[in-house]
Amino acid sequence: MKKNLPISTDDFPTVINGGYYFVDKSMFIAEALSNMSETKLILRPRRFGKSLNMSMLKAFLEIGSPKGLFDGLAISGQKDFCEAHQGKYPVISLSFKDVEASGFQKALDALGLIISREADKLEIGCGCPELKTSENAMFDRMSEKQADENDVKSSILLMSIALYRRYGKKAIVLIDEYDAPINQAYRMGYYDEMVGLFRGLLSQALKSNPYVEFAVMTGVLRVSKESVFSGLNNIAVYSALHTKYSAHFGFTGEEVATMLSYYGLEGRMADMKEYYDGYRIGSLEMYNPWSVVRACSDMLEDKSAEPKEFWINTASNDLVRDLLKQDGLRALESIDELANGGTVKKRVSILATYRDLIDISASEAVWDMMFMAGYLTWVRKSGRDMYELRAPNLEIRAALRNDALLWAMSSMPIDEGKAEKLYAALLAGNSEDAEAVINGLFQKVLSVRDGVVVHGSFEIKQERHYHLITTALLACSGWSVESEIESGDGYLDTLCTNEDIDAAIVIEEKFSAKSDDASLSGKAQEAMEQITNKKYAEIAEGFSTIVAVGIAYANRRCKMVIKQLG
């Protein structure tokens, strides 16, 4: 019998005791303890193995944890290291990844409840002899959602004091997804209150606390040292640019190949690489572990199963969405380029903070966030704070195409009912009304948001930027809109379908170097002939109404030819 894959758990003891398949990352423990004088903050995208590694670290260090959990793993070969550290420390382990409160008080209650549950596991509170009655009562208040800010701020410090008195040893503090509550606070408008709470919590817990040996934290984005880590001079931040820890989060190609071989899926390695590889972490190229495990599970049930997009459905993408909705039109061209496999050069601050997202424009901040969140990876540094970026793989390119482009498009000033007017004109064959709708949007968008045009120049012989704006307009309706879709003998620019009215519209677009009516009309007719000659309308067969549209663009305007095919 083959081992099951750990689909629904990131708890290390459960994975080992349950006989699940485990990719051995145990040498992370030795690297994490290589410098115990610093507080470590490791930044990686969500679903990149952070929680399982933190659980593993706890299981190795914690007093009373079964040593047999690590039998056969790489770390067990480090005899002297294991003798010195395994099972030798009291550990305070917290995960803030599920704190998603709409307001500060609810967030305070949620954090207090998480901390009180850890205190219960450590037998702190409820008459704990190492603390005063008043101090024990504080944990009772947190468990009943009656704690105030001061209770939460002092909680980790009090737990470390209790543990030191009990064991005579300093505690190790592990905090997984430390920034999740701050991310939510930023989005919901109580950022400053949450930062104040965390400043007090971490300052009391980690700043000159004689009862804590060291701490490890994980997250997606850094919170400014001045706000949250005030006075913590020993904090070391490790992002995707750093070599340290690069092999421990995510899967290497060798690890993926070994997993597939174990399950008899060697023939699917190319799919795994194409869909889930491509993250550059330090000097290594890494696979997304979440997606690999789930794809492998699907392929075990059906060896012909096609790869799917797993990460985007589970990752926290709200902040990226909000930034693109604020000012996404400026990012539209770049996102489209990335979604189609290209690269872009952007200024990215790897140590970007949530405060930075407030202080700089959304059009600049979005690249910091998309990089840290895992939508983008770096190819090379191309100047001071400038990086060449790309989407890591097909899974992320699909996410950019299906979600990020729509979020960016939603920032366009499209009046209510404009899309419906365009569809009505197209179905009626009324080219003048249809042109008026699109031209009105061009005049409004390109006159005030000309950053959408490649290189800031309008006179470029391509229709791509026009296509994106037109597609955004078409998508603001109940119609289904697809771009660059294979049909007939080539690729159709746009297909719009509406099953409710049993109608389809096939659209081909051209750029005209000249903007006079004759030139535009000629190019529009050329687009219509391409639809006919390359049999683009074949994809719409089965709809009772089929409309073909040839569009030509130049200088903030278009002309079109409309033809009823069915």
Side-chain angles (χ1 to χ4, degrees):
M1 294 291 293
K2 296 292 185 182
K3 294 181 179 181
N4 291 324
L5 287 159
I7 296 294
S8 59
T9 182
D10 52 19
D11 178 69
F12 177 77
T14 299
V15 171
I16 298 302
N17 291 329
Y20 291 97
Y21 189 95
F22 178 67
V23 176
D24 188 352
K25 298 291 182 178
S26 62
M27 291 308 293
F28 166 65
I29 300 167
E31 196 162 356
L33 270 65
S34 62
N35 184 356
M36 296 176 69
S37 66
E38 66 180 19
T39 293
K40 298 168 176 63
L41 172 57
I42 302 171
L43 303 176
R44 293 292 185 275
R46 296 202 188 280
R47 304 298 187 179
F48 235 75
K50 298 190 296 294
S51 296
L52 182 57
N53 276 357
M54 293 290 269
S55 177
M56 177 181 66
L57 188 57
K58 174 187 176 182
F60 183 87
L61 297 171
E62 190 170 44
I63 292 172
S65 184
K67 292 188 177 182
L69 288 173
F70 292 87
D71 288 350
L73 298 184
I75 195 66
S76 66
Q78 307 293 311
K79 303 297 184 183
D80 291 343
F81 178 85
C82 292
E83 182 63 29
H85 298 289
Q86 190 171 9
K88 297 297 176 67
Y89 301 91
V91 177
I92 300 169
S93 177
L94 301 165
S95 174
F96 296 148
K97 63 183 177 181
D98 294 324
V99 178
E100 297 182 350
S102 59
F104 178 69
Q105 185 57 52
K106 290 182 178 179
L108 181 67
D109 291 342
L111 287 166
L113 190 59
I114 289 169
I115 294 169
S116 70
R117 286 172 177 167
E118 177 65 9
D120 285 344
K121 292 178 184 177
L122 297 171
E123 298 181 352
I124 297 173
C126 299
C128 165
E130 291 86 9
L131 294 177
K132 299 175 183 177
T133 301
S134 60
E135 293 170 334
N136 282 317
M138 185 198 75
F139 291 100
D140 293 336
R141 289 194 296 274
M142 287 195 293
S143 68
E144 295 168 0
K145 297 184 179 181
Q146 295 178 356
D148 60 23
E149 288 187 55
N150 288 330
D151 290 337
V152 173
K153 287 177 180 179
S154 61
S155 58
I156 297 178
L157 170 62
L158 284 176
M159 284 195 286
S160 68
I161 291 172
L163 292 170
Y164 184 80
R165 289 171 178 170
R166 183 181 303 170
Y167 297 107
K169 293 185 175 183
K170 297 179 181 182
I172 289 175
V173 176
L174 308 177
I175 303 178
D176 188 32
E177 303 286 6
Y178 89 103
D179 62 327
I182 302 172
N183 180 340
Q184 182 72 0
Y186 172 83
R187 293 192 58 250
M188 303 306 294
Y190 56 94
Y191 176 84
D192 288 336
E193 292 173 284
M194 184 58 70
V195 164
L197 176 64
F198 266 76
R199 183 189 303 119
L201 176 68
L202 297 179
S203 178
Q204 290 192 46
L206 305 177
K207 181 181 177 181
S208 302
N209 181 359
Y211 306 105
V212 168
E213 187 71 54
F214 82 112
V216 179
M217 295 184 289
T218 70
V220 174
L221 193 66
R222 189 174 74 102
V223 179
S224 68
K225 184 174 181 179
E226 293 72 22
S227 62
V228 169
F229 304 118
S230 179
L232 295 181
N233 296 322
N234 66 332
I235 187 166
V237 181
Y238 299 97
S239 73
L241 286 183
H242 293 86
T243 299
K244 196 171 180 66
Y245 306 117
S246 59
H248 304 310
F249 296 85
F251 292 163
T252 65
E254 183 179 356
E255 288 167 341
V256 174
T258 299
M259 177 187 293
L260 294 181
S261 177
Y262 175 81
Y263 289 109
L265 297 171
E266 297 93 333
R268 304 306 302 271
M269 187 64 187
D271 285 335
M272 289 291 188
K273 183 172 181 61
E274 190 175 32
Y275 273 81
Y276 310 122
D277 188 19
Y279 290 90
R280 183 176 179 182
I281 311 294
S283 60
L284 300 178
E285 189 168 291
M286 304 296 285
Y287 287 70
N288 181 324
W290 173 269
S291 298
V292 166
V293 169
R294 274 143 192 81
C296 189
S297 178
D298 278 3
M299 292 170 185
L300 285 175
E301 292 184 10
D302 177 5
K303 290 198 174 184
S304 64
E306 294 294 324
K308 299 176 184 175
E309 292 82 44
F310 297 99
W311 178 83
I312 190 61
N313 296 320
T314 58
S316 178
N317 50 39
D318 291 342
L319 188 51
V320 171
R321 180 191 62 200
D322 291 349
L323 288 170
L324 285 173
K325 284 188 174 183
Q326 286 178 45
D327 204 16
L329 191 54
R330 294 180 186 274
L332 199 57
E333 285 284 353
S334 294
I335 292 173
D336 181 62
E337 180 70 22
L338 292 162
N340 286 285
T343 65
V344 298
K345 291 182 180 180
K346 297 293 178 181
R347 187 175 302 279
V348 174
S349 173
I350 301 306
L351 295 181
T353 72
Y354 284 94
R355 174 57 62 185
D356 293 332
L357 299 185
I358 293 174
D359 292 341
I360 64 179
S361 70
S363 58
E364 296 178 20
V366 69
W367 304 110
D368 292 325
M369 191 61 227
M370 291 184 75
F371 176 84
M372 302 303 285
Y375 285 90
L376 304 176
T377 193
W378 66 292
V379 179
R380 63 183 61 86
K381 191 170 184 178
S382 59
R384 182 179 176 85
D385 293 330
M386 294 294 294
Y387 292 85
E388 186 174 352
L389 306 173
R390 63 176 173 82
N393 48 52
L394 283 186
E395 179 182 38
I396 302 304
R397 283 166 59 184
L400 292 173
R401 187 176 299 110
N402 297 335
D403 295 316
L405 273 174
L406 292 179
W407 297 335
M409 289 172 180
S410 69
S411 68
M412 278 200 288
I414 297 176
D415 300 331
E416 186 176 353
K418 191 179 289 285
E420 285 73 15
K421 291 179 183 177
L422 176 58
Y423 278 111
L426 293 175
L427 290 172
N430 188 332
S431 59
E432 289 186 5
D433 284 357
E435 291 163 4
V437 174
I438 295 177
N439 291 342
L441 182 59
F442 282 166
Q443 292 295 322
K444 190 171 184 179
V445 170
L446 296 178
S447 63
V448 296
R449 298 289 183 94
D450 57 342
V452 72
V453 183
V454 178
H455 306 308
S457 170
F458 195 80
E459 293 293 338
I460 293 179
K461 294 183 178 181
Q462 62 171 20
E463 72 270 3
R464 191 65 190 170
H465 53 284
Y466 298 100
H467 165 83
L468 291 171
I469 297 171
T470 302
T471 301
L473 175 56
L474 291 166
C476 293
S477 69
W479 287 65
S480 173
V481 180
E482 299 176 84
S483 293
E484 301 294 339
I485 187 167
E486 186 174 2
S487 182
D489 296 328
Y491 287 85
L492 176 68
D493 283 330
T494 307
L495 171 67
C496 307
T497 57
N498 189 325
E499 293 187 359
D500 291 337
I501 63 172
D502 198 18
I505 300 174
V506 292
I507 302 173
E508 183 63 25
E509 300 158 318
K510 296 291 181 184
F511 176 85
S512 174
K514 298 179 180 180
S515 59
D516 61 277
D517 285 352
S519 297
L520 278 171
S521 296
K523 280 289 184 181
Q525 184 59 43
E526 183 182 324
M528 178 62 71
E529 291 171 0
Q530 185 170 326
I531 292 174
T532 301
N533 295 337
K534 294 198 173 184
K535 304 174 185 177
Y536 284 160
E538 283 185 358
I539 197 169
E541 289 180 357
F543 286 93
S544 59
T545 298
I546 303 174
V547 176
V549 181
I551 308 179
Y553 303 111
N555 268 354
R556 297 189 182 92
R557 60 193 295 262
C558 74
K559 295 286 287 184
M560 63 178 69
V561 176
I562 304 174
K563 184 178 181 180
Q564 296 282 341
L565 300 181

